[in-house]
């Protein structure tokens, strides 16, 4: 090859690599309700990244139901990072798609969940049915709107929250807990496929007396429908829903984006990241930030999924086909 | 019929080859992938999945509601086609274009619109609710959504046949002393019957597979208003790919059997009426 040609080629090649260096693109595959949070977080992160590495980064978002998003990654959607509402969704990517290495939950603090949320009760203005706690949801004549536990992580958390609260009240009596949870689901008029759809049913269609959903979804409702239209009731006990994140190893190794991906997720634990989370009504891990926003996060006795032996065990015991939730649904249908 | 047929038009072999290749790539290959995935299940677990009580309940909802919706559109669609062909009226072109709207609309949009309209606080839902009729979040809502989605099929298949029909036939029947009912049942109906049946079949088939619009208005209560596609989705939520494909295979087989049956019926009718050799 002629020296001149070699030179041009070298220049051409280096300019290509320079171009790709200057333009790191990360794809964050996330779930529905996180849309608002990442809208605030991504620009803040891009600024931080540029200041730290003198390099630009572009973040692309993909939102949908948590498990649906995990399936897309398993089927080959090239996500650099995944941010889900259930650890089982990330575990599924580890097991079925093998794009994420086992042990992902040890790579970041707090079992790789930078913030958490919990299930709260949302009632109509003035709380006409006088709903104060889980017990009130079992009463006849109270309509409870929840998303379908078979198709929604939000719905599964609701089920577990009710079950766990019943266990606490009855000294761990499983039969009582089952009776209690069945009574609540007996009051459900509509089972929407996801959390957002349930919100629409409750707020827009005005169906039901109480909506059970994540605390941060309540903030979305306030922004969307106005604060005066509903009240948030904190039950005496609720479930701590950890919202986990992970780097997709196979993709970042292929794309060479590991450094940026790790930085993207680590920044979630930074003071700024935690503050943005708190502003979006996600409970922060950082003690200082938590103290600063303490007023908006009332104290609730929380229990974790560890109560059920972890999410994986809970899935098997309650939500797999033919498991407790299906039995309850069949019982309700039979009695009606 | 011989495969190699002499025809005045050349290119039969090429055309047949192309048709088969195209059908294989677009229809057969994806569907056989579905079957291949189910092959991982042994027969007894396949049977257990597809005959589970809750899944069986969804077959009834899906196929029952689809049948009702297709029957409704059989009559309403015929009526609309009749009016559009036979009577001049202002705004006819507009109404004609309106018929296709359910085709163009994303089904989810249709579902949300119908749910809003027929919810207990909706424009139509509220007065109906006072009469004690609940539409949204009941099986009735499913029928409504499916009827909406499948409206164009009967209209669009019957319309051209009606347009081509010679009025002289009716006039001849009339001059021979036939009553209006006789003209309808002996002259008009046999002519449009094959088209009606085709429209009905298409509407029925389309309704069975419908997901987007139904999911918003069904309420999705177990054993009551769950459709089969929802069972597939809920299996997928558990990463149970095989279970999902097993149910999909059942839907596919039943749908295909029904289509085959109706096509056979149509062929038999046409033969009886002496329209085909």
């Amino acid at each position: 090859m002629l020296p001149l040609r070699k030179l041009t080629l070298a220049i051409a090649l280096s300019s290509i690599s320079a171009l790709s260096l200057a333009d790191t693109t990360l794809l964050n595959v996330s779930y529905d309700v996180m849309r608002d949070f990442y809208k605030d977080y991504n620009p803040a992160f891009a600024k931080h990244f540029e200041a730290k590495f003198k390099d630009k980064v572009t973040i692309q978002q993909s939102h949908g139901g948590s498990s649906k998003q995990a399936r897309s990654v398993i089927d080959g959607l090239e996500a650099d990072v995944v941010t889900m509402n259930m650890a089982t969704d990330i575990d599924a990517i580890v097991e079925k798609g093998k794009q994420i290495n086992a042990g992902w939950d040890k790579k970041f603090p707090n079992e790789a969940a930078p913030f958490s949320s919990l299930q709260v009760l949302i009632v109509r203005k003035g709380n006409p049915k006088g709903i104060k706690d889980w017990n009130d949801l079992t009463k006849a004549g109270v309509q409870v709107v929840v998303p379908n536990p078979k198709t929604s992580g939000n719905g599964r958390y609701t089920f577990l929250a009710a079950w766990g609260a019943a266990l606490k009240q009855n000294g761990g009596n499983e039969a009582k807990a089952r009776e209690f949870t069945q009574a609540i689901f007996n009051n459900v008029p509509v089972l929407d496929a996801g959390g957002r759809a349930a919100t629409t049913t409750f707020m827009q269609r005005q169906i039901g007396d109480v909506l059970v959903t994540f605390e941060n979804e309540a903030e979305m409702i306030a922004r969307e429908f106005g604060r005066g239209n509903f009240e948030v009731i904190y039950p005496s006990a609720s479930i701590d829903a950890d919202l986990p994140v992970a780097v997709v190893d196979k993709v970042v190794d292929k794309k060479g984006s590991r450094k940026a991906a790790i930085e993207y997720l680590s920044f979630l634990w930074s003071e700024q990241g935690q503050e943005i989370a708190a502003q979006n009504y996600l409970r922060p891990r950082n003690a200082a930030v938590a103290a600063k926003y303490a007023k908006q996060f009332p104290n609730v006795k929380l229990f974790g999924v560890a109560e059920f032996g972890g999410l994986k065990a809970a899935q098997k015991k309650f939500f797999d086909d033919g498991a407790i939730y299906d039995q309850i649904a069949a019982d309700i249908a039979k009695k009606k | 019929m011989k495969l190699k047929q002499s025809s005045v038009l050349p290119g039969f072999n090429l055309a047949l080859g192309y048709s088969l290749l195209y059908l294989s790539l677009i229809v057969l290959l994806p569907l056989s992938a579905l079957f291949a995935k189910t092959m991982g299940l042994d027969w007894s677990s396949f049977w257990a999945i597809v005959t589970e009580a809750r899944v069986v309940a969804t077959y009834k909802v899906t196929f029952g509601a689809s049948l009702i919706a297709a029957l409704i559109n059989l009559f309403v669609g015929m009526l609309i086609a009749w009016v559009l062909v036979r009577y001049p009226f202002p705004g006819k072109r507009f109404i004609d274009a309106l018929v296709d709207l359910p085709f163009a609309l994303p089904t989810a949009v249709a579902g949300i619109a119908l749910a809003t309209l027929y919810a207990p606080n909706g424009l139509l839902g509220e007065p109906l609710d006072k009469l004690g009729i609940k539409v949204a979040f009941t099986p009735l809502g499913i029928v409504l959504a499916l009827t909406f989605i499948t409206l164009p099929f009967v209209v669009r298949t019957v319309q051209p046949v009606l347009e081509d029909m010679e009025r002289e036939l009716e006039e001849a029947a009339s001059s021979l002393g036939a009553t209006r009912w006789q003209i309808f049942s002996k002259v008009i109906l046999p002519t449009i019957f094959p088209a009606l049946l085709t429209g009905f079949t298409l509407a029925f088939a389309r309704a069975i597979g419908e997901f987007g619009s139904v999911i918003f208005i069904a309420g999705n209560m177990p054993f009551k208003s769950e459709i089969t596609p929802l069972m597939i989705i809920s299996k997928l939520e558990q990463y149970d790919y095989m279970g999902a494909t097993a149910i999909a295979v059942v839907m596919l087989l039943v749908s295909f059997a029904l289509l085959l049956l109706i096509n056979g019926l149509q062929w038999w009718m046409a033969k009886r009426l002496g329209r085909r050799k």
Side-chain angles (χ1 to χ4, degrees):
Chain A
M1 208 186 274
L2 288 168
L4 184 68
R5 245 199 216 169
K6 237 183 207 167
L7 190 70
T8 349
L9 192 71
I11 291 170
L13 276 178
S14 64
S15 67
I16 289 171
S17 62
L19 202 74
S20 62
L21 256 184
D23 221 15
T24 311
T25 306
L26 292 178
L27 173 61
N28 175 10
V29 169
S30 188
Y31 65 100
D32 266 335
V33 180
M34 277 293 130
R35 212 178 296 258
D36 305 310
F37 168 72
Y38 283 108
K39 214 186 275 165
D40 297 345
Y41 177 78
N42 288 346
F45 170 71
K47 214 179 267 170
H48 157 82
F49 193 81
E50 207 177 341
K52 189 169 172 186
F53 296 102
K54 308 271 167 284
D55 202 356
K56 277 203 178 356
V57 65
T58 315
I59 316 288
Q60 289 172 335
Q61 286 289 142
S62 163
H63 294 281
S66 193
S67 310
K68 197 203 108 227
Q69 293 293 77
R71 282 199 305 282
S72 302
V73 174
I74 291 168
D75 292 340
L77 177 65
E78 296 211 315
D80 298 272
V81 297
V82 290
T83 54
M84 298 299 183
N85 70 13
M86 290 210 139
T88 39
D89 291 328
I90 299 180
D91 284 333
I93 303 175
V94 174
E95 280 158 29
K96 314 259 167 184
K98 309 215 174 352
Q99 287 101 332
I100 296 175
N101 299 334
W104 59 270
D105 52 344
K106 302 284 172 291
K107 297 219 175 103
F108 295 96
N110 314 105
E111 257 129 31
F115 29 69
S116 67
S117 196
L118 55 98
Q119 296 295 123
V120 297
L121 315 176
I122 293 173
V123 298
R124 307 231 172 265
K125 190 182 172 181
N127 197 359
K129 298 256 164 143
I131 288 159
K132 300 234 159 47
D133 207 347
W134 294 106
N135 295 2
D136 300 312
L137 307 194
T138 63
K139 288 180 185 155
V142 173
Q143 284 200 319
V144 187
V145 175
V146 297
N148 195 339
K150 295 293 275 192
T151 57
S152 156
N154 191 330
R156 286 192 276 273
Y157 275 124
T158 298
F159 184 98
L160 292 177
W163 185 281
L167 278 185
K168 292 256 171 309
Q169 284 174 18
N170 295 296
N173 185 328
E174 291 249 318
K176 286 253 171 70
R178 186 185 175 129
E179 213 174 281
F180 186 85
T181 316
Q182 181 162 337
I184 291 179
F185 275 83
N186 192 38
N187 286 341
V188 174
V190 177
L191 280 170
D192 284 298
R196 267 293 145 86
T199 300
T200 307
T201 297
F202 184 74
M203 292 306 297
Q204 208 131 38
R205 315 236 189 284
Q206 294 284 312
I207 287 178
D209 303 301
V210 50
L211 167 73
V212 190
T213 192
F214 288 128
E215 185 182 31
N216 62 314
E217 179 75 353
E219 174 58 16
M220 194 290 298
I221 297 173
R223 287 178 195 175
E224 198 70 25
F225 296 93
R227 272 166 222 282
N229 285 326
F230 67 96
E231 283 170 31
V232 179
I233 306 287
Y234 283 85
S236 57
S238 187
I239 195 161
D240 188 15
D242 291 329
L243 311 170
V245 300
V247 169
V248 183
D249 298 287
K250 228 182 211 166
V251 175
V252 294
D253 286 346
K254 198 177 110 192
K255 280 175 60 181
S257 55
R258 182 176 283 277
K259 185 188 78 176
I262 290 177
E263 189 66 24
Y264 181 71
L265 294 185
S266 306
F267 190 62
L268 289 169
W269 275 267
S270 72
E271 201 159 325
Q272 201 185 347
Q274 292 281 293
E275 189 132 337
I276 296 171
Q279 283 157 10
N280 281 280
Y281 278 71
L282 295 156
R283 296 201 168 206
R285 304 286 187 194
N286 182 304
V289 177
K292 188 174 162 193
Y293 287 87
K295 228 172 57 192
Q296 74 182 42
F297 297 117
N299 250 328
V300 174
K301 207 190 294 159
L302 289 176
F303 49 87
V305 286
E307 199 100 344
F308 308 96
L311 265 183
K312 218 180 258 181
Q315 170 71 33
K316 210 168 159 199
K317 180 175 174 185
F318 295 107
F319 307 118
D320 273 356
D321 280 341
I324 291 176
Y325 172 71
D326 275 359
Q327 295 163 17
I328 284 178
D331 276 355
I332 291 171
K334 227 179 281 164
K335 277 182 192 138
K336 271 194 176 161
Chain B
M1 191 183 81
K2 284 181 296 177
L3 189 62
K4 185 131 177 106
Q5 221 173 9
S6 52
S7 160
V8 278
L9 290 173
F12 170 71
N13 284 335
L14 189 66
L16 178 74
Y18 179 77
S19 304
L20 285 180
L21 177 72
Y22 189 82
L23 268 178
S24 305
L25 283 178
I26 299 292
V27 180
L28 287 178
L29 202 62
L31 293 186
S32 42
L34 195 65
F35 277 95
K37 202 145 191 176
T38 332
M39 288 303 164
L41 286 168
D42 60 85
W43 175 248
S44 62
S45 41
F46 174 85
W47 190 248
I49 289 168
V50 301
T51 56
E52 196 207 321
R54 186 154 166 196
V55 178
V56 171
T58 69
Y59 298 147
K60 286 182 195 154
V61 174
T62 292
F63 289 103
S66 300
L67 186 68
I68 296 170
L71 282 173
I72 292 173
N73 277 332
L74 184 66
F75 292 102
V76 178
M78 186 169 68
L79 195 72
I80 293 174
W82 182 263
V83 170
L84 284 175
V85 170
R86 285 299 171 90
Y87 303 104
F89 57 90
K92 184 168 157 171
R93 294 218 168 243
F94 179 74
I95 302 277
D96 199 28
L98 215 56
V99 170
D100 281 332
L101 209 58
F103 270 162
L105 210 61
T107 53
V109 174
I112 292 169
L114 289 172
T116 309
L117 196 59
Y118 286 94
N121 67 338
L123 200 62
L124 292 176
E126 205 168 342
L128 282 173
D129 200 47
K130 281 193 186 118
L131 295 172
I133 304 168
K134 289 195 193 317
V135 181
F137 314 117
T138 65
L140 192 59
I142 300 178
V143 172
L144 182 77
L146 296 180
T147 310
F148 177 84
I149 292 298
T150 58
L151 171 75
F153 287 101
V154 175
V155 182
R156 289 299 182 234
T157 47
V158 172
Q159 216 175 358
V161 182
L162 273 178
E163 268 162 8
D164 285 350
M165 229 176 95
E166 291 165 44
R167 287 236 178 157
E168 288 80 359
L169 286 177
E170 289 166 53
E171 283 161 12
S174 176
S175 67
L176 290 171
T179 61
R180 284 186 176 246
W181 172 248
Q182 278 173 322
I183 294 174
F184 178 74
S185 62
K186 298 253 159 68
V187 179
I188 299 169
L189 199 58
T191 318
I192 61 168
F193 192 78
L196 270 177
L197 208 55
T198 305
F200 171 80
T201 315
L202 289 172
F204 185 49
R206 178 73 188 78
I208 289 170
E210 181 54 22
F211 178 73
S213 62
V214 176
I215 214 69
F216 290 102
I217 200 173
N220 309 316
M221 298 306 286
F223 295 97
K224 216 175 92 193
S225 52
E226 277 184 335
I227 53 170
T228 314
L230 180 67
M231 285 295 104
I232 296 175
I233 301 285
S234 95
K235 296 261 181 214
L236 286 174
E237 287 291 314
Q238 297 162 53
Y239 301 100
D240 180 6
Y241 288 86
M242 280 186 191
T245 45
I247 299 176
V249 161
V250 170
M251 283 195 85
L252 190 70
L253 289 177
V254 176
S255 305
F256 191 68
L258 285 169
L259 290 179
L260 214 58
L261 186 81
I262 300 172
N263 265 325
L265 184 70
Q266 195 178 6
W267 181 79
W268 177 78
M269 283 292 304
K271 208 173 148 186
R272 223 176 65 118
L273 292 168
R275 239 176 284 278
R276 205 169 290 177
K277 273 166 238 156

